[in-house]
Amino acid sequence: MPPRKRRSVSHTVLLVGEGATEKAFLRYIKSLYISRGCGVGVTIRNAHGKGPGHVVDYAIGQCRNAAYDRVVTLLDTDLEMSAAVRRRAGAKKVQIYAKAI
């Protein structure tokens, strides 16, 4: 029998958008930069709005269900982000990117 080909472990990334627009943008960025077989697994989720605190909590909750190497959130700047939300994100190593509307 020929030797079995070993599968390599992928680097996993979770991208969480605040709404449908951010999810579509993240999907577009993924299509530009991530190709099949490149060793990176990207999961895109929609937090359905409700402000920066909810989006960060949603991302942290998704990390409880699966292990990701990197967690990134994309937020609008229409609502102010509190220091407590920033601390919570920093404690769980969630990266926050804000886009101007």
Side-chain angles (χ1 to χ4, degrees):
M1 273 180 26
R4 287 188 178 180
K5 186 177 176 182
R6 290 210 169 253
R7 289 180 52 173
S8 62
V9 177
S10 294
H11 181 78
T12 57
V13 179
L14 172 65
L15 302 174
V16 179
E18 187 173 1
T21 307
E22 287 82 15
K23 183 176 178 181
F25 176 71
L26 291 171
R27 233 186 275 154
Y28 174 70
I29 295 296
K30 177 184 172 185
S31 72
L32 286 178
Y33 294 108
I34 306 296
S35 62
R36 287 186 174 217
C38 70
V40 178
V42 177
T43 303
I44 300 173
R45 300 280 186 214
N46 183 354
H48 302 289
K50 300 179 188 148
H54 174 73
V55 176
V56 169
D57 290 339
Y58 182 84
I60 291 170
Q62 291 296 308
C63 292
R64 289 185 192 133
N65 295 329
Y68 294 100
D69 297 320
R70 185 168 298 221
V71 181
V72 178
T73 60
L74 181 64
L75 306 169
D76 290 336
T77 56
D78 56 349
L79 296 175
E80 189 67 32
M81 188 179 323
S82 67
V85 172
R86 288 188 189 273
R87 278 194 304 273
R88 229 176 16 244
K92 297 294 183 175
K93 297 186 178 170
V94 175
Q95 295 178 351
I96 299 172
Y97 291 100
K99 67 175 184 101
I101 55 170

